[in-house]
Amino acid sequence: MKRITKRVVATAAVAMMTSMSLVGCMPSAKEETTAATQAQEAGNATGAETEAAEETELEVNTTDPIELRFNWWGGDARNEKTLNAIQKFEEKYPNIKVTPEYESFSGHEEKLALAIKSGNAPDVMQLDYTWVNDYSPNGDNFYDLNKLSNIIDLNNFDQNSLDTFTINGKLQALPVSRTGRAFGWNIKTFEEVGIDYPTTAEELLAAGQAFKAHGEDYYPLMLLDLDRAFFLRYYIESKYDKNWIEDGQFNVTKEELTDGFDYLKTLEENHVIPTDEKLAGDGAENIETNANWIAGKYAGIYLYDTSLRNKFKAVTDSDYAVGDYIKLGDYHGSELKSSMEFAIAANTQHPAEAAALVQFLLADSEAVQILGTDRGIPANKAAIEALDFTGDKVKEANDKLTAWTDRPLDFVFERQSFTGSDGALTRALQESSYGQKSSEDCAQDVIDAMNKELAK
């Protein structure tokens, strides 16, 4: 192990910390719309103060009482596993108390943005893919993890992952896992209909007709709004070999987008996917609460590999298969991204101890086995070696994904203003499905919206 020496703590950084809890701190509507900008401004100040401190190699304090705040979002299963892992960390470091802050994803971003803005960010935080760029565009809001490389083993990550989250030479976050969209098929429903699940464009259309003949409420594929957005990308990438963004510019033409909207209409007309009107009539916002999904009438989904298992658990009687990628053209559609990241606040009072927590959660064999694949297939090489993936369908889906594509997902596509519930692309997809706008008009709306996003 490398020799570790003591650090010099910046007095200004200490002054920035407060005891206010993150949970329950909801911003106003005005704050929500400017959260990223305000967070950047605050981060510039706190980051500058942290940089003002002369840093040497850090060591983990194993004697004095220390409290760390760790913030994440997740469901019951993730929360329970994370709390168990935290308990093991505290057993290893008895002087360190980790205060957990967790909730569902809804509203989480606004709270975290406000915490960053106010200088009250948790010591360790779980971030979504776009948040590193959105909330630390200059590399000032999160601690430079390169300075903690004697505590966090960066050799366990591939260089592409490190480069993705390096801003102005500062490593802002580490990927917990790499993920992407995969097809999952309800085998029992396909057997009931009497066909195999599709692997080509022709088989996909034929499946729609077969399901319609079996019953009007039966569909081979269910796509909610965000799923439609990713399927639109999948089609364009498969047919035109186009990355969404190249060199900071939108890389898809109006004609290609129009074709994509037309194809989604073709899927609706051929009974492959339910229309938005049909899904609205189902009376459920989520896949797992949709009665037709639960009953097995909707037999396929296109979701992140980590989501397949939980969605199929909601089905009354099913066995599911991880499908091969459907050949919609001569090229391979779909993208890879970090599913989420861990970052350390730039103004934390305890960077070494926060780094020890990150290292423990990402690479310690005991913690890794507790956490399993709830956050996805780990990006950390040591974590991969610590897990047994026998029969794991998440790993099967992830392996199929990484064998199929290395196309990166850009940081813009999943912004709330673009693919959120009231995002520009979501509105265009809904207007197309309801017949309120032509494919050409929807394509132009998407181009205008994407250019606006890129200008931010």
Side-chain angles (χ1 to χ4, degrees):
M1 178 179 292
K2 293 182 180 179
R3 183 179 62 88
I4 307 173
T5 59
K6 292 185 178 179
R7 61 185 172 88
V8 179
V9 179
T11 303
V14 173
M16 286 301 297
M17 298 299 293
T18 72
S19 61
M20 180 178 67
S21 172
L22 173 65
V23 178
C25 298
M26 286 298 293
S28 67
K30 181 178 180 181
E31 285 171 329
E32 288 184 19
T33 59
T34 60
T37 301
Q38 293 170 325
Q40 176 184 351
E41 292 170 354
N44 289 343
T46 58
E49 291 165 350
T50 300
E51 285 296 314
E54 182 181 354
E55 295 281 359
T56 60
E57 281 192 337
L58 308 182
E59 67 177 359
V60 179
N61 185 328
T62 59
T63 57
D64 300 327
I66 290 172
E67 181 177 352
L68 297 175
R69 293 165 54 210
F70 174 33
N71 177 269
W72 75 89
W73 73 87
D76 292 343
R78 176 180 299 169
N79 297 339
E80 181 180 358
K81 292 176 182 178
T82 306
L83 291 171
N84 289 338
I86 288 173
Q87 182 179 348
K88 294 298 182 182
F89 174 79
E90 291 176 335
E91 290 174 5
K92 182 175 181 179
Y93 297 97
N95 64 308
I96 302 177
K97 168 67 176 176
V98 178
T99 300
E101 300 173 354
Y102 56 92
E103 58 199 343
S104 65
F105 188 77
S106 178
H108 181 83
E109 180 181 359
E110 291 82 6
K111 292 181 181 180
L112 191 59
L114 182 57
I116 295 171
K117 165 188 173 285
S118 66
N120 189 42
D123 299 278
V124 178
M125 61 198 96
Q126 177 179 294
L127 303 176
D128 202 12
Y129 185 57
T130 64
W131 298 356
V132 176
N133 260 15
D134 288 348
Y135 297 113
S136 188
N138 298 316
D140 296 324
N141 272 10
F142 306 123
Y143 205 95
D144 182 6
L145 301 181
N146 289 314
K147 296 179 178 179
L148 301 168
S149 61
N150 58 321
I151 302 172
I152 302 174
D153 188 353
L154 300 181
N155 293 321
N156 280 329
F157 299 89
D158 65 68
Q159 192 60 46
N160 285 338
S161 295
L162 300 179
D163 291 343
T164 297
F165 299 109
T166 296
I167 301 175
N168 289 337
K170 303 172 185 177
L171 180 58
Q172 297 287 276
L174 289 172
V176 178
S177 58
R178 297 182 75 196
T179 188
R181 295 254 162 173
F183 290 98
W185 305 106
N186 187 328
I187 297 173
K188 292 190 176 181
T189 303
F190 274 90
E191 289 175 347
E192 182 182 335
V193 174
I195 62 172
D196 292 330
Y197 56 80
T199 60
T200 67
E202 295 76 17
E203 291 172 357
L204 186 61
L205 293 179
Q209 295 305 306
F211 270 66
K212 182 178 181 180
H214 186 74
E216 280 291 335
D217 283 339
Y218 282 75
Y219 290 84
L221 184 61
M222 175 190 191
L223 298 177
L224 299 184
D225 287 333
L226 184 59
D227 312 327
R228 281 176 177 254
F230 272 98
F231 199 90
L232 176 70
R233 280 187 69 129
Y234 181 80
Y235 174 79
I236 291 171
E237 291 162 356
S238 297
K239 187 170 181 180
Y240 299 104
D241 195 24
K242 285 291 187 77
N243 290 329
W244 203 253
I245 295 172
E246 287 285 356
D247 299 324
Q249 302 295 316
F250 189 43
N251 192 42
V252 182
T253 68
K254 183 176 180 179
E255 291 74 21
E256 291 161 352
L257 273 171
T258 299
D259 183 25
F261 278 100
D262 283 342
Y263 185 69
L264 287 174
K265 295 292 287 185
T266 297
L267 295 183
E268 290 180 343
E269 292 164 359
N270 283 271
H271 207 81
V272 175
I273 59 174
T275 64
D276 274 356
E277 184 175 10
K278 164 65 174 168
L279 290 170
D282 290 346
E285 294 183 0
N286 302 315
I287 292 175
E288 63 268 31
T289 58
N290 187 293
N292 285 317
W293 172 256
I294 294 170
K297 294 180 178 180
Y298 298 159
I301 45 179
Y302 180 57
L303 296 178
Y304 282 117
D305 51 18
T306 52
S307 298
L308 296 180
R309 180 169 52 203
N310 288 336
K311 301 306 180 187
F312 277 102
K313 281 182 180 179
V315 180
T316 301
D317 181 26
S318 78
D319 185 15
Y320 77 98
V322 176
D324 295 330
Y325 286 87
I326 299 176
K327 299 177 179 65
L328 298 182
D330 294 332
Y331 307 100
H332 287 192
S334 205
E335 315 84 13
L336 273 171
K337 72 162 193 171
S338 167
S339 58
M340 61 189 71
E341 302 80 47
F342 286 157
I344 296 174
N347 62 340
T348 179
Q349 295 181 23
H350 307 292
E353 294 73 31
L357 177 59
V358 170
Q359 172 68 10
F360 185 83
L361 294 173
L362 292 180
D364 182 90
S365 60
E366 189 172 21
V368 168
Q369 288 168 25
I370 292 172
L371 297 172
T373 59
D374 184 79
R375 285 178 169 86
I377 303 302
N380 188 290
K381 297 172 185 175
I384 289 286
E385 294 175 359
L387 291 173
D388 178 6
F389 293 106
T390 304
D392 192 318
K393 289 187 178 180
V394 177
K395 184 64 161 62
E396 178 187 354
N398 195 265
D399 286 346
K400 285 188 174 184
L401 171 69
T402 54
W404 176 258
T405 184
D406 60 358
R407 193 186 301 269
L409 179 67
D410 55 85
F411 287 110
V412 179
F413 190 76
E414 289 187 300
R415 284 180 181 169
Q416 286 295 305
S417 54
F418 193 63
T419 52
S421 59
D422 194 37
L425 178 54
T426 302
R427 290 197 303 272
L429 290 165
Q430 291 172 344
E431 289 165 344
S432 174
S433 182
Y434 276 94
Q436 296 171 342
K437 283 189 177 182
S438 68
S439 295
E440 292 86 353
D441 288 343
C442 290
Q444 186 60 54
D445 288 346
V446 172
I447 291 171
D448 294 342
M450 179 51 68
N451 287 333
K452 183 178 179 179
E453 293 292 337
L454 291 173
K456 290 181 179 179

